[in-house]
C-alpha cells in the first residue's frame, strides 16, 4: 500500500464528505418516497417497501460480486484498482442509476424506479467499500479516525435533510396534499432532483479522477481464500430469489386479479349492503393469499438466519475453506448487522404509514417529512455524541460534549425543519427522549458490549411503549428507535471483528454484505402490516432489538473464551 501523506488533502476530503452526505440523503429520502409511491401507484404496504428491497439488496449484491471476483483473481479488486479509482467507478455507476431513475419517472413506471434505485445503491456499495480506508489515506494516519467521524457526521446530516428535500421534490409545496390527490401530482421535480444528484456524482468523480494530489491507494496483497463461504452465499442468494419470486408473482395471480376487479366494483357501488358483501368477498380471498405471501417472506428470513447458522456449525467442525466465517463472533455479528440495518430501516420506512392512521395524527403523506426527518436525525444525535470518544478528551470536557452535542444536533434538526416551513411544536418535547439517550451514554462508558446491550434494551423498551400506547406518546417512542440505533452499528462491527487477525478485512466485507437486512426486514414488516395493521407490525423491530441485546451477551462470552478482554476494547469509529 502506498504510504500515507502527512498533510491532509482537503479538496479530496471535502469531495468525499459530499459523497458521505448523499449516502444518507438518498437512504433517508426513501422513507418519504415509500408512502408517496404507495398512494401514487396504488400499492399495498409490502409493495411500497420494495423501495427498500431494491436499495439495500443492491449493497449485498455489490459486495458479494466484489468478493467473488476478488477471490477468483486472488486479489482484492478495490485495492487492485485503488481506492481512488474504486470511488470514481462507484460514483459513475450511481450517476448511471440516477439517469435510469429519471427515465423511469418520465415513463411513469414503479418497476423502473426500483431498478434505478438498485443501480444507484450498487454504486454506493463500491463507494462505501473504499471510502473509509480512502479517508485515512488523505492525511496523517493518526488523525484518520477524525476524518471518518467527520464523514459519518455529515452522512447523518444528509439523513436529516434528505426527507425534507425529497418531500419538496415530490409534493412541490409546504402545504398539505391529501393522499387522494397524490396520484395527480406531476413528477417533474423528481427529474430535477435526480438530474442534480447525477451531475454531482459525475462532478465528484471528475474531481477525484483528475486530482493528481489524491493517492491511488493501490495494494497487491493477496486475498484470504474462503471457497465454502462463497458457495454458501451464492446458494443463499439463489434461495432468496426462490422465496421472493412467488410473492412477486402472486400480485398477478388469479386471486389478485379477482381482488382488483372487486375493488373496482367497490368504488362504483353506493349500496350499503352490496359494499359489505364485496368487502366480505375481498377478505375471503385476500386473507389466505396474504398468509401465503407471509410464509414465503418468512422463508427468506429463514434462508439468511439458517444459512449463517449452518456456516457457523460447519466451520466449527472443520474451519478449512470458511475463511473469516470460522469465527463464531463474526457469524453472530453478521446476523446482528443484518438485524440492525433491518430494524433501523424498517422503523423509518413504515413510520409514514403509521402517521397516516387517525390514532397517530392522521397526517397526509405530504405532512410526515418533519417526523421522518426527526427519526433519521435521531441517528445523527447519537452519532455526534459517539464521535466524542474518537478524540483524546477526558473529564469535564468530555462530559460537557456528551451533553452538549446531542442537544445541539436536536436544535439543528428543529431549525432546519423550521426554515423549511414545518411546524415543529409537537416535537419540542422529544428533547426528553434525547436526555434519556445522554444518560445511556454515561451508563455505557464507551464499552462496546455495554453500549450494545444498553442501547438495545433502550430500543426494545421504546418499541414496547410504542406498541402499548397511541398518539404522540407512541410516535415519540418509535422515533426514539432512531436514538437507540444511532450508536449500535459501530459496536457490532467492533465486536464481530475482534480476534480475526488476517481475516479482518474479509470479515468486514461479510459484514457489509449483511446490509441486506435493510432489503428484507422492512418488506416483512410491511406484509405483516397488511395482515395485522401497521401499529401491531412494530413487533418486528421489538424482536430485532431483543436479538441485538442477546448478541451483546453471547459475543462477550465467546470472546472471553478466546482470551480477548472485551471490556478494554474501544468501539470502532465507522459510519455506514
Amino acid at each position: 500500500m502506498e504510504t500515507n501523506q502527512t498533510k491532509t488533502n482537503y479538496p479530496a476530503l471535502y469531495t468525499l464528505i459530499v459523497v458521505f452526505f448523499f449516502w444518507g440523503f438518498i437512504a433517508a429520502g426513501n422513507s418519504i418516497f415509500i408512502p408517496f409511491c404507495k398512494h401514487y401507484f396504488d400499492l399495498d404496504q409490502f409493495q411500497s417497501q420494495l423501495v427498500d428491497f431494491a436499495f439495500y439488496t443492491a449493497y449485498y449484491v455489490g459486495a458479494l460480486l466484489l468478493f467473488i471476483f476478488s477471490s477468483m483473481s486472488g486479489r482484492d479488486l478495490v485495492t487492485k484498482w485503488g481506492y481512488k479509482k474504486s470511488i470514481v467507478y462507484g460514483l459513475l455507476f450511481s450517476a448511471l442509476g440516477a439517469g435510469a431513475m429519471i427515465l423511469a419517472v418520465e415513463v411513469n413506471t414503479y418497476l423502473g424506479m426500483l431498478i434505478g434505485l438498485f443501480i444507484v445503491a450498487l454504486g454506493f456499495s463500491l463507494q462505501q467499500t473504499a471510502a473509509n480506508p480512502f479517508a485515512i489515506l488523505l492525511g496523517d494516519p493518526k488523525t484518520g479516525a477524525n476524518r471518518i467521524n467527520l464523514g459519518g457526521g455529515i452522512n447523518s446530516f444528509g439523513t436529516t435533510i434528505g426527507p425534507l428535500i425529497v418531500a419538496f421534490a415530490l409534493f412541490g409545496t409546504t402545504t398539505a396534499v391529501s393522499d387522494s390527490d397524490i396520484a395527480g401530482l406531476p413528477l417533474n421535480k423528481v427529474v430535477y432532483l435526480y438530474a442534480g444528484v447525477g451531475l454531482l456524482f459525475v462532478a465528484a468523480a471528475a474531481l477525484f479522477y483528475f486530482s493528481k494530489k489524491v493517492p491511488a491507494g493501490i495494494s497487491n496483497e493477496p486475498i484470504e481464500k474462503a471457497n465454502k463461504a462463497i458457495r454458501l452465499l451464492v446458494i443463499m442468494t439463489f434461495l432468496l430469489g426462490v422465496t421472493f419470486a412467488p410473492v412477486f408473482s402472486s400480485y398477478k395471480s388469479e386471486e389478485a386479479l379477482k381482488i382488483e376487479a372487486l375493488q373496482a366494483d367497490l368504488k362504483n357501488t353506493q349500496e350499503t349492503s352490496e359494499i359489505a358483501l364485496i368487502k366480505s368477498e375481498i377478505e375471503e380471498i385476500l386473507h389466505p393469499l396474504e398468509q401465503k405471501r407471509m410464509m414465503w417472506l418468512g422463508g427468506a428470513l429463514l434462508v439468511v438466519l439458517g444459512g449463517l447458522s449452518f456456516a457457523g456449525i460447519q466451520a466449527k467442525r472443520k474451519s478449512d475453506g470458511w475463511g473469516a466465517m470460522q469465527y463464531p463472533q463474526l457469524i453472530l455479528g453478521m446476523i446482528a448487522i443484518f438485524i440492525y440495518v433491518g430494524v433501523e430501516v424498517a422503523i423509518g420506512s413504515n413510520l409514514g404509514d403509521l402517521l397516516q392512521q387517525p390514532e397517530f395524527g392522521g397526517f397526509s403523506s405530504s405532512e410526515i417529512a418533519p417526523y421522518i426527518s426527526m427519526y433519521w436525525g435521531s441517528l445523527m444525535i447519537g452519532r455526534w455524541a459517539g464521535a466524542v470518544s474518537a478524540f483524546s478528551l477526558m473529564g469535564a470536557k468530555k462530559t460537557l460534549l456528551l451533553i452538549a452535542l446531542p442537544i445541539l444536533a436536536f436544535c439543528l434538526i428543529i431549525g432546519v425543519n423550521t426554515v423549511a416551513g414545518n411546524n415543529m411544536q409537537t416535537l419540542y418535547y422529544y428533547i426528553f427522549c434525547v436526555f434519556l439517550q445522554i444518560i445511556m451514554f454515561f451508563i455505557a462508558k464507551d464499552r462496546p458490549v455495554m453500549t450494545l446491550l444498553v442501547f438495545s434494551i433502550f430500543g426494545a423498551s421504546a418499541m414496547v411503549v410504542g406498541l402499548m400506547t397511541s398518539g404522540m406518546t407512541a410516535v415519540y417512542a418509535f422515533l426514539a428507535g432512531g436514538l437507540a440505533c444511532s450508536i449500535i452499528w459501530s459496536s457490532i462491527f467492533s465486536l464481530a471483528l475482534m480476534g480475526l487477525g488476517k481475516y479482518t478485512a474479509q470479515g468486514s466485507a461479510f459484514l457489509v454484505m449483511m446490509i441486506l437486512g435493510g432489503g428484507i426486514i422492512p418488506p416483512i414488516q410491511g406484509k405483516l402490516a397488511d395482515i395485522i395493521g401497521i401499529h401491531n407490525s412494530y413487533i418486528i423491530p421489538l424482536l430485532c432489538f431483543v436479538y441485538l441485546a442477546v448478541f451483546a451477551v453471547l459475543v462477550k462470552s465467546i470472546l472471553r473464551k478466546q482470551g480477548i478482554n472485551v471490556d478494554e476494547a474501544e468501539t470502532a469509529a465507522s459510519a455506514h
Side-chain angles (χ1 to χ4, degrees):
M1 180 73 69
E2 295 179 357
T3 57
N4 304 84
Q5 56 192 68
T6 303
K7 188 177 180 180
T8 301
N9 188 327
Y10 287 106
L13 179 60
Y14 296 151
T15 304
L16 188 63
I17 287 173
V18 170
V19 174
F20 272 82
F21 171 84
F22 276 101
W23 296 340
F25 172 88
I26 292 179
N30 287 343
S31 297
I32 296 293
F33 204 57
I34 285 168
F36 174 85
C37 287
K38 179 177 181 179
H39 296 286
Y40 189 87
F41 294 104
D42 194 21
L43 310 171
D44 65 21
Q45 189 64 8
F46 166 77
Q47 288 173 304
S48 68
Q49 292 293 322
L50 293 181
V51 168
D52 282 333
F53 175 80
F55 191 78
Y56 290 97
T57 301
Y59 277 93
Y60 170 75
V61 172
L64 178 59
L65 289 175
L66 273 175
F67 180 61
I68 291 173
F69 292 142
S70 297
S71 298
M72 290 171 62
S73 67
R75 289 172 58 194
D76 182 73
L77 285 183
V78 171
T79 54
K80 180 182 177 181
W81 295 333
Y83 296 130
K84 176 181 174 179
K85 282 189 177 179
S86 295
I87 290 180
V88 170
Y89 296 155
L91 286 165
L92 292 176
F93 212 85
S94 292
L96 182 66
M101 190 72 174
I102 291 169
L103 182 61
V105 170
E106 291 288 3
V107 297
N108 203 32
T109 167
Y110 183 53
L111 177 60
M113 291 181 183
L114 296 180
I115 293 171
L117 282 171
F118 182 86
I119 297 172
V120 168
L122 271 180
F124 283 2
S125 176
L126 181 54
Q127 292 166 43
Q128 290 209 20
T129 302
N132 285 356
F134 187 73
I136 294 173
L137 281 176
L138 293 179
D140 187 343
K142 294 178 182 178
T143 59
N146 295 352
R147 291 189 290 279
I148 292 173
N149 282 321
L150 178 61
I154 298 299
N155 172 275
S156 295
F157 182 62
T159 66
T160 302
I161 70 170
L164 303 177
I165 295 176
V166 172
F168 182 76
L170 292 173
F171 304 110
T173 178
T174 56
T175 59
V177 176
S178 68
D179 291 332
S180 59
D181 292 334
I182 285 177
L185 290 176
L187 293 180
N188 60 309
K189 283 191 173 61
V190 179
V191 173
Y192 301 149
L193 173 66
Y194 274 92
V197 168
L199 288 173
L200 282 171
F201 285 146
V202 172
L207 182 57
F208 273 115
Y209 183 77
F210 290 110
S211 175
K212 294 180 179 179
K213 295 182 179 180
V214 178
I218 296 173
S219 172
N220 294 314
E221 294 178 7
I223 190 171
E224 298 296 334
K225 296 291 184 182
N227 294 331
K228 290 180 181 177
I230 291 176
R231 196 178 306 127
L232 173 73
L233 290 168
V234 171
I235 292 172
M236 281 173 53
T237 304
F238 172 75
L239 291 177
L240 285 173
V242 169
T243 55
F244 270 94
V247 181
F248 295 150
S249 62
S250 72
Y251 282 90
K252 295 297 181 183
S253 65
E254 186 178 332
E255 294 95 333
L257 294 175
K258 190 171 182 180
I259 290 170
E260 284 184 17
L262 287 169
Q263 288 174 336
D265 292 341
L266 190 63
K267 290 178 181 178
N268 299 322
T269 302
Q270 301 295 327
E271 289 288 334
T272 305
S273 58
E274 194 172 346
I275 289 173
L277 186 64
I278 293 173
K279 283 185 176 180
S280 176
E281 194 173 349
I282 289 174
E283 182 59 29
E284 190 176 329
I285 302 170
L286 184 61
H287 186 67
L289 182 61
E290 294 286 45
Q291 286 185 324
K292 287 180 183 177
R293 290 167 175 167
M294 194 66 203
M295 180 190 71
W296 282 109
L297 290 171
L301 185 62
L302 187 61
V303 165
V304 176
L305 302 184
L308 292 176
S309 300
F310 172 80
I313 293 169
Q314 293 300 310
K316 189 175 182 180
R317 292 175 180 172
K318 189 176 181 181
S319 62
D320 292 349
W322 285 105
M325 285 190 186
Q326 66 188 273
Y327 294 91
Q329 63 265 39
L330 180 71
I331 292 290
L332 292 175
M334 289 173 71
I335 296 174
I337 287 290
F338 176 87
I339 295 292
Y340 160 73
V341 178
V343 68
E344 175 192 291
V345 177
I347 293 173
S349 296
N350 286 285
L351 192 60
D353 194 62
L354 180 85
L355 291 167
Q356 292 171 39
Q357 307 306 310
E359 63 269 35
F360 297 98
F363 300 99
S364 67
S365 295
S366 64
E367 295 175 305
I368 64 173
Y371 296 90
I372 302 298
S373 176
M374 183 59 76
Y375 172 74
W376 289 104
S378 294
L379 276 83
M380 179 177 75
I381 291 170
R383 287 172 184 169
W384 280 20
V388 172
S389 300
F391 301 92
S392 301
L393 297 173
M394 300 296 290
K397 287 183 180 179
K398 185 174 182 180
T399 300
L400 180 62
L401 282 176
L402 280 174
I403 296 172
L405 283 179
I407 296 172
L408 178 63
F410 173 77
C411 293
L412 179 62
I413 298 164
I414 294 291
V416 168
N417 277 273
T418 301
V419 170
N422 295 314
N423 185 347
M424 299 298 288
Q425 288 185 358
T426 56
L427 287 169
Y428 287 167
Y429 294 107
Y430 187 65
I431 188 66
F432 291 108
C433 295
V434 177
F435 289 149
L436 280 177
Q437 187 201 44
I438 293 171
I439 293 171
M440 299 298 113
F441 273 107
F442 283 105
I443 293 173
K445 295 180 179 178
D446 294 336
R447 293 168 293 177
V449 169
M450 185 58 71
T451 297
L452 181 55
L453 183 61
V454 166
F455 279 86
S456 296
I457 292 173
F458 178 43
S461 302
M463 294 305 105
V464 169
V465 172
L467 286 164
M468 299 287 288
T469 60
S470 61
M472 286 308 298
T473 301
V475 172
Y476 273 27
F478 291 134
L479 289 175
L483 295 172
C485 287
S486 63
I487 201 68
I488 287 178
W489 165 277
S490 56
S491 295
I492 297 172
F493 235 86
S494 172
L495 293 166
L497 295 178
M498 280 184 190
L500 264 62
K502 66 179 181 179
Y503 292 105
T504 299
Q506 188 182 98
S508 179
F510 287 151
L511 290 173
V512 170
M513 289 180 200
M514 290 299 103
I515 291 177
L516 172 69
I520 291 182
I521 291 178
I524 288 177
Q525 184 179 345
K527 181 48 61 188
L528 188 63
D530 290 331
I531 298 172
I532 65 173
I534 188 66
H535 186 199
N536 292 330
S537 75
Y538 272 81
I539 192 171
I540 296 289
L542 170 59
L543 295 175
C544 290
F545 280 120
V546 169
Y547 171 79
L548 294 175
V550 171
F551 168 71
V553 176
L554 291 177
V555 76
K556 183 174 183 177
S557 174
I558 290 169
L559 291 171
R560 275 187 172 176
K561 288 179 182 177
Q562 296 176 7
I564 299 172
N565 190 338
V566 184
D567 294 328
E568 293 181 358
E570 294 181 354
T571 304
S574 133
H576 73 287

